[in-house]
Amino acid sequence: MAQLNDKQGSIVAHCPGCRGGRSTFEWQVDGREIGAISDPTDRSPWGITCKRDFRLFRCAGCGMGAYGVILYKNYEAYPGSYNKLVEFYPESKQRLDLPDLTPRGIANEFREAEKCFDNNCCRAAAGLFRSVLDKTMRANGYKTTQEKNLYQKIEAAAEDGIITQARKRRAHDEIRVLGNDVLHDEWQEIAEEDVEACRHYCQRILEDFYDDRVSVLKLLEEAGREPEDFHLEESS
């Protein structure tokens, strides 16, 4: 979550332009403020009249622009005293690393899910993470007539030794069931921590399949599976 430096007026947050890295967003460049519109308000957490700034910021790392709403004591220069960050945009969550051999389409879908999560679109993110899991299973040969649905694909991957029994339970409980709630049930709000767990275990499953790819391909061959990259050279 973005944090206001109450003395300097800068904001520390995860920056989308820095791949989710934590960065400092400045409100001044060469001693001059980038820009702000101020509006007095009596709605403050301290019971006093405050100034509300709609202020522009810039990432000190990549130069990306940002927007923040800050409350602070009236008749004082920014950042003033009694200051509070009300809103900040855009802010991302730290990006999770994916194995280098993750297929481009699957990796792109994972990143799109992360972008949805960045913007608090939790239902969209959960649905996409479930899609990542399903596409990963199909890309690894789990698409026969015996594995008609995602439940059966996960069970088969565990039986083949590609994922552990513990990971199988997480795949069901944290990813598949949550995604099914989005796709098939009536609309309901989904908790951010549930989507964070979904994202975390989706990334772990991608590591199971693509981190030591040569070993996984041998297991898949022994199980009679035909993954899309079956002819990957052992040297890769």
Side-chain angles (χ1 to χ4, degrees):
M1 180 177 293
Q3 294 178 323
L4 173 67
N5 185 317
D6 57 0
K7 293 183 179 180
Q8 298 178 1
S10 58
I11 292 174
V12 177
H14 290 287
C15 175
C18 297
R19 295 188 67 252
R22 200 157 176 81
S23 184
T24 297
F25 286 82
E26 305 166 321
W27 61 281
Q28 290 181 317
V29 176
D30 297 328
R32 300 177 62 182
E33 69 176 58
I34 300 172
I37 297 175
S38 298
D39 175 41
T41 178
D42 56 3
R43 293 179 294 176
S44 75
W46 310 289
I48 59 176
T49 301
C50 285
K51 190 184 295 183
R52 178 173 53 194
D53 271 10
F54 302 88
R55 184 169 289 275
L56 298 178
F57 293 84
R58 187 184 73 169
C59 174
C62 68
M64 180 178 182
Y67 161 83
V69 179
I70 302 98
L71 286 175
Y72 59 100
K73 194 173 181 180
N74 206 5
Y75 306 116
E76 292 186 351
Y78 184 81
S81 58
Y82 292 98
N83 46 23
K84 176 182 175 64
L85 179 63
V86 178
E87 185 178 351
F88 185 75
Y89 180 86
E91 180 181 15
S92 73
K93 294 174 176 62
Q94 190 168 12
R95 291 288 179 261
L96 297 182
D97 292 332
L98 299 180
D100 292 338
L101 292 178
T102 304
R104 180 176 297 180
I106 291 174
N108 287 344
E109 189 144 317
F110 187 94
R111 295 305 182 201
E112 185 174 347
E114 285 191 315
K115 290 178 182 178
C116 290
F117 195 27
D118 288 344
N119 290 281
N120 299 316
C121 298
C122 290
R123 291 176 57 83
L128 280 173
F129 284 127
R130 183 198 182 282
S131 177
V132 168
L133 178 59
D134 187 58
K135 287 181 172 65
T136 299
M137 293 296 171
R138 288 192 279 116
N140 284 276
Y142 295 97
K143 52 185 177 182
T144 68
T145 55
Q146 287 76 28
E147 295 107 31
K148 296 180 180 180
N149 55 45
L150 184 53
Y151 175 88
Q152 294 168 332
K153 293 170 186 174
I154 295 169
E155 291 290 315
E159 289 176 9
D160 293 344
I162 307 300
I163 60 175
T164 64
Q165 290 297 313
R167 192 80 83 219
K168 179 186 80 171
R169 290 194 296 272
R170 294 296 190 178
H172 284 310
D173 297 343
E174 309 293 352
I175 307 174
R176 183 184 64 83
V177 172
L178 188 67
N180 285 351
D181 289 345
V182 171
L183 297 176
H184 305 304
D185 293 350
E186 295 294 327
W187 190 96
Q188 62 177 335
E189 189 172 343
I190 292 178
E192 182 176 335
E193 54 267 27
D194 291 341
V195 183
E196 182 56 59
C198 177
R199 178 175 80 127
H200 173 77
Y201 286 106
C202 189
Q203 182 241 14
R204 288 298 179 88
I205 288 171
L206 289 175
E207 288 180 340
D208 290 339
F209 276 95
Y210 294 106
D211 197 30
D212 184 3
R213 189 58 179 165
V214 172
S215 297
V216 170
L217 285 175
K218 290 179 180 178
L219 288 173
L220 291 170
E221 183 179 11
E222 292 171 2
R225 305 290 173 181
E226 295 185 7
E228 293 176 355
D229 59 340
F230 186 76
H231 300 292
L232 177 73
E233 296 293 336
E234 291 195 8
S235 59
S236 53

